[in-house]
Amino acid sequence: MEKQIHNENSTPPQKGAEDLTIIPDPISSPPLSSGEGTGVRLLKQYWGYDNFRGIQEDIINSIGEDKDTLGLMPTGGGKSITFQVPALAKEGLCLVVTPLIALMKDQVQNLKKLGIKALAIYSGMSRQEILTTLENCIFGNYKFLYISPERLDTEIFRTKLQKMKISMITVDESHCISQWGYDFRPAYLKIAEIRDILPDVPVLALTATATPEVVKDIQARLRFRKENVFRMSFERRNLAYIVRNTDNKTGELLHILRRMPGSAIIYVRNRRRTKEIAELLHNEHITADFYHAGLDDATKDIRQQRWQTGESRVIVATNAFGMGIDKPDVRIVIHLDLPDSIEAYFQEAGRAGRDGEKAYAVILYSRSDKTTLHKRIPDTFPEKDYIRQVYEHLQYYYQMAMGDGQGCIREFNIEDFCRKFKYFPVPVDSALKILTQAGYLEYTDEQDNASRLKFSIQRDELYRLRGMGEETDRLIQIILRSYTGLFTDHAFISEELLAARAGLTRKQIYEQLVRLAKLRIVSYIPRKKTPYIIYTRERIETRHLQIPPGVYEERKKRYEKRIEAMLDYVTNDTVCRSRMLLRYFGESNGHDCGQCDTCISLRNRQSADKRPAKELFGEILQILSEQEMTPAALAEKMPGGKEALTEALHLLLEEGKIIAANGMLQIKK
């Protein structure tokens, strides 16, 4: 089954959560989205919307009937509503699997603001924190547990899972389960094993980017009992796709931003470029901030907020920016560097114009981009001997003996590793990801874990403390006013926020918290920013390390194919760009968009072809006065509008100014 509905760009206004009540008791009938049914009531109560959009109600009804369901919704289509509403209507806990830790934290925080109980588990949490979270899921009447796919395979999770009442499983970014997809993550394959533990629990898979082969693969790998797909059209009628060929990208960028008002996102390939471009714009009196995964949480939040409120017009970012960020009035998204897949480009470009108003997605393309894109292939798929060498050096790095390692978790500093063994970071990162897919280890991307704090003593004991000093007493009071739940669980805190409220420096706040931790008054876990290496099996001899074709050769071939599709897109000058994108995702479209650079160029060419026939009289007579010739030869002499030339010849023949003899045109004497 597959249902396709046109994408609606309108975004209903948001309503505050001040008057929201507690979660209602589950109601099984009438259907979740019908009339005054449970779904509509929940939507109105918690989100302030009167009606569902697009295919939201179809997906909600399908999963509400306990059917395995796949929803294909473009960026900004309202995916979260499709699982949050039915989960609230069902009895029990919704398990949400997502690889996006920042998005996970944001959604948990937003649900809590609405009075809905939600928790999250991800890499970097301590065992005790994970255990407490899982116990809360069993006994605490929580409605949502967000979890990264890597955590699904742990013994502690699987043991506790069997004691939970799970109502449904939501798999966000579900294209990650497919080896045919552009962002395959082996940890997603563990979801099918969770279905063995919960055989009667329905699965809702969601994604914004999936080709037809990936759509089938998602359903097969998630063990859908029956194929069941709802597809929202990926067409964005308000979004004009433009490719500009230029050897002066910064000059063209400035030209576009000066001509085009409104909020903008500029995507670049690396972190260094984000800062360089932001400084360039600043020097040209265009307000801009830069954003990438290497920034601390507080800086990210401040810059994101400045951009969302319009204080900063432009955000210059790597692909780390955009997931879960709701800003409907982005007027233009500009790519200074080419993404390596149509999927990535479509998702990033789709962040423009979510309010339904006219918006633009622009790629600035130069001839050198093709070479740059092709160079990513050996960086993404280094030689197998190189991968084996990285594996061997990793054992030296951790001093891991042969046969040891299984289950070990180690922090991994890629810069330190590369310095010691004389590597470049990009191919090392790729090698570790391939080793992950081959099953030898688990390499998590760089995780940004904010500082956490919990009081180790009870509230009444805290009030009896004396002699801590005026500065420390004041800090404790500010912490209590700024955060809740600190006596029952660790809470994320911001040293920058506390410093601002206390009139101290961040260093002073840190020192005070360390002192309180040494006195066993608080448990303080400072912010850490590091990837992890988790050994999923014991160390083996390098000569026995096998990298199967499905992990290397086949994926490399598909990667090359995606790069060629991206290059075909930017070098095309004859096919509507919207049609090209839709066709890539398996969607047929009977009309051109009429607004991309290709459509405009073709229209201009056709206009040039439509010169009035009489304007050609003098040109034709001049050529024929020099020599007689066939109509075909005359057409070669007069490139352009063949229709206008044919009409002009007919008129000249009718008027007797020229004649045709033996297939040759000549002026009548």
Side-chain angles (χ1 to χ4, degrees):
M1 169 189 176
E2 181 162 339
K3 184 172 182 180
Q4 182 166 309
I5 295 179
H6 185 76
N7 178 12
E8 298 178 15
N9 288 311
S10 59
T11 304
Q14 192 72 30
K15 179 183 176 182
E18 303 85 28
D19 336 7
L20 299 179
T21 57
I22 59 169
I23 300 166
D25 292 330
I27 300 174
S28 58
S29 173
L32 287 172
S33 65
S34 67
E36 291 302 316
T38 309
V40 172
R41 182 155 50 82
L42 289 167
L43 183 73
K44 178 74 173 175
Q45 179 181 357
Y46 286 95
W47 288 275
Y49 302 159
D50 293 319
N51 300 105
F52 293 105
R53 290 193 290 142
I55 59 173
Q56 285 178 333
E57 61 182 328
D58 299 285
I59 294 173
I60 287 167
N61 280 337
S62 178
I63 196 69
E65 294 167 3
D66 291 339
K67 295 177 182 176
D68 294 334
T69 306
L70 172 57
L72 301 174
M73 304 175 74
T75 303
K79 286 190 295 179
S80 59
I81 291 290
T82 64
F83 66 86
Q84 289 173 351
V85 167
L88 290 177
K90 288 171 172 279
E91 186 180 355
L93 179 80
C94 174
L95 185 66
V96 185
V97 182
T98 174
L100 305 167
I101 291 177
L103 183 61
M104 187 189 298
K105 291 176 181 177
D106 286 344
Q107 290 208 2
V108 168
Q109 187 176 6
N110 291 336
L111 286 167
K112 286 180 177 178
K113 287 178 183 176
L114 295 175
I116 298 167
K117 300 178 77 174
L119 293 165
I121 293 175
Y122 43 84
S123 300
M125 291 174 67
S126 69
R127 180 179 174 83
Q128 185 54 49
E129 286 177 299
I130 293 171
L131 188 60
T132 301
T133 301
L134 293 173
E135 291 291 333
N136 281 334
C137 289
I138 297 170
F139 302 110
N141 194 28
Y142 279 82
K143 294 302 295 181
F144 295 92
L145 172 61
Y146 286 76
I147 188 165
S148 57
E150 291 80 13
R151 302 300 98 210
L152 296 175
D153 197 31
T154 60
E155 183 181 346
I156 183 174
F157 173 74
R158 296 204 177 191
T159 300
K160 297 294 183 183
L161 180 66
Q162 296 177 59
K163 298 177 183 178
M164 298 178 196
K165 183 172 180 57
I166 303 294
S167 60
M168 59 185 282
I169 301 170
T170 300
V171 183
D172 197 15
E173 306 296 328
S174 60
H175 58 271
C176 294
I177 201 171
S178 173
Q179 292 198 54
W180 301 102
Y182 78 106
D183 195 19
F184 171 60
R185 303 193 183 207
Y188 263 72
L189 299 174
K190 301 296 180 182
I191 299 170
E193 297 175 14
I194 298 300
R195 297 210 73 178
D196 291 334
I197 301 172
L198 306 168
D200 300 321
V201 174
V203 168
L204 171 59
L206 298 167
T207 183
T209 47
T211 59
E213 63 181 354
V214 171
V215 168
K216 291 193 75 70
D217 202 30
I218 289 170
Q219 295 174 88
R221 290 185 178 277
L222 286 174
R223 300 183 190 171
F224 271 37
R225 289 163 284 199
K226 183 181 179 183
E227 288 196 352
N228 184 26
V229 183
F230 294 91
R231 179 192 296 271
M232 182 183 284
S233 172
F234 283 7
E235 183 179 11
R236 295 285 305 279
R237 296 194 177 187
N238 67 310
L239 185 57
Y241 298 100
I242 309 291
V243 175
R244 288 273 176 89
N245 285 275
T246 177
D247 290 325
N248 180 12
K249 290 192 179 187
T250 54
E252 189 68 29
L253 172 67
L254 293 171
H255 173 72
I256 291 169
L257 290 175
R258 283 170 181 150
R259 287 191 60 194
M260 174 79 55
S263 181
I265 305 173
I266 299 170
Y267 281 108
V268 295
R269 185 68 181 175
N270 61 57
R271 297 176 182 183
R272 177 179 49 79
R273 285 258 284 168
T274 63
K275 186 176 182 181
E276 289 173 354
I277 299 298
E279 287 176 350
L280 168 76
L281 297 179
H282 180 74
N283 291 335
E284 295 292 330
H285 309 293
I286 298 171
T287 55
D289 278 323
F290 65 92
Y291 185 109
H292 56 69
L295 300 172
D296 62 71
D297 280 345
T299 303
K300 285 181 185 174
D301 290 344
I302 290 168
R303 292 181 182 179
Q304 182 178 314
Q305 184 67 20
R306 278 164 49 87
W307 178 72
Q308 286 185 300
T309 59
E311 185 182 349
S312 182
R313 181 189 167 197
V314 180
I315 195 89
V316 188
T318 61
N319 60 7
F321 180 78
M323 287 292 184
I325 293 172
D326 182 22
K327 184 170 172 60
D329 62 343
V330 177
R331 297 274 63 88
I332 186 164
V333 170
I334 301 174
H335 280 80
L336 281 183
D337 299 316
L338 283 185
D340 50 15
S341 71
I342 293 287
E343 290 94 331
Y345 172 68
F346 188 78
Q347 195 166 62
E348 290 161 12
R351 290 172 186 138
R354 291 188 191 176
D355 55 3
E357 300 297 321
K358 185 67 179 286
Y360 296 84
V362 180
I363 291 176
L364 299 182
Y365 175 70
S366 68
R367 285 167 293 182
S368 62
D369 286 333
K370 182 176 182 179
T371 305
T372 302
L373 209 53
H374 279 300
K375 281 181 180 175
R376 290 185 200 164
I377 296 170
D379 278 346
T380 307
F381 289 91
E383 295 294 329
K384 286 187 175 182
D385 284 344
Y386 179 93
I387 297 169
R388 293 187 181 97
Q389 190 179 55
V390 168
Y391 177 81
E392 184 73 5
H393 285 154
L394 197 66
Q395 319 316 320
Y396 301 156
Y397 188 64
Y398 291 127
Q399 298 183 346
M400 191 74 68
M402 199 68 66
D404 287 349
Q406 185 166 1
C408 290
I409 301 174
R410 297 284 186 271
E411 291 183 6
F412 182 66
N413 185 323
I414 193 167
E415 287 81 10
D416 183 56
F417 178 80
C418 290
R419 188 167 54 251
K420 285 185 176 176
F421 296 101
K422 296 181 173 56
Y423 286 122
F424 291 107
V426 172
V428 165
D429 180 80
S430 298
L432 291 172
K433 287 175 178 174
I434 291 169
L435 287 167
T436 296
Q437 287 151 8
Y440 291 98
L441 50 85
E442 181 185 310
Y443 169 56
T444 69
D445 290 335
E446 188 176 83
Q447 304 298 336
D448 193 351
N449 298 312
S451 300
R452 285 166 281 169
L453 189 74
K454 176 188 175 185
F455 280 103
S456 303
I457 59 177
Q458 296 303 311
R459 189 182 289 268
D460 54 351
E461 294 178 78
L462 182 64
Y463 290 140
R464 287 198 295 269
L465 285 173
R466 292 289 183 271
M468 297 293 296
E470 183 180 339
E471 205 172 76
T472 303
D473 289 342
R474 186 161 172 268
L475 175 59
I476 289 172
Q477 290 303 317
I478 290 170
I479 291 170
L480 292 171
R481 287 198 300 269
S482 302
Y483 303 100
T484 58
L486 291 164
F487 291 94
T488 56
D489 199 3
H490 282 87
F492 290 106
I493 65 163
S494 167
E495 289 89 347
E496 287 83 359
L497 175 67
L498 293 174
R501 291 181 177 175
L504 301 171
T505 65
R506 189 189 187 285
K507 184 172 183 290
Q508 287 172 316
I509 294 292
Y510 172 78
E511 289 170 349
Q512 291 275 14
L513 293 175
V514 168
R515 176 172 171 246
L516 289 171
K518 287 178 178 177
L519 294 170
R520 302 188 183 278
I521 294 170
V522 300
S523 168
Y524 173 50
I525 305 170
R527 175 180 174 273
K528 292 186 75 174
K529 190 176 188 63
T530 181
Y532 293 89
I533 297 285
I534 303 167
Y535 280 85
T536 51
R537 56 173 296 179
E538 73 286 348
R539 177 191 172 184
I540 63 168
E541 292 183 28
T542 309
R543 59 193 174 92
H544 295 314
L545 190 144
Q546 299 294 320
I547 303 171
V551 169
Y552 190 87
E553 285 85 359
E554 291 175 20
R555 290 188 63 250
K556 182 180 180 182
K557 188 175 180 180
R558 288 195 292 273
Y559 182 72
E560 291 169 341
K561 187 177 177 183
R562 284 194 290 273
I563 281 179
E564 290 308 316
M566 192 72 238
L567 290 170
D568 285 345
Y569 175 80
V570 294
T571 54
N572 153 70
D573 63 357
T574 57
V575 181
C576 167
R577 296 203 187 277
S578 178
R579 288 183 94 158
M580 284 189 80
L581 293 171
L582 294 174
R583 189 185 305 151
Y584 184 85
F585 292 111
E587 184 177 335
S588 60
N589 186 9
H591 62 271
D592 290 345
C593 73
Q595 60 185 352
C596 70
D597 63 294
T598 306
C599 284
I600 292 169
S601 175
L602 289 172
R603 189 162 62 242
N604 290 340
R605 276 183 246 167
Q606 289 167 359
S607 297
D609 287 350
K610 292 178 181 176
R611 289 171 60 191
K614 289 188 177 181
E615 283 188 12
L616 303 179
F617 280 12
E619 213 172 324
I620 293 169
L621 294 172
Q622 176 63 36
I623 293 171
L624 293 180
S625 69
E626 297 172 3
Q627 67 177 108
E628 60 184 41
M629 59 180 60
T630 64
L634 183 63
E636 287 182 16
K637 285 266 189 182
M638 298 179 63
K642 291 184 179 179
E643 289 181 16
L645 176 62
T646 302
E647 186 183 346
L649 290 174
H650 280 301
L651 288 172
L652 287 169
L653 286 165
E654 286 174 10
E655 293 176 11
K657 293 182 178 179
I658 63 172
I659 59 171
N662 301 320
M664 303 292 285
L665 296 172
Q666 53 186 279
I667 293 178
K668 187 176 181 181
K669 305 295 186 194

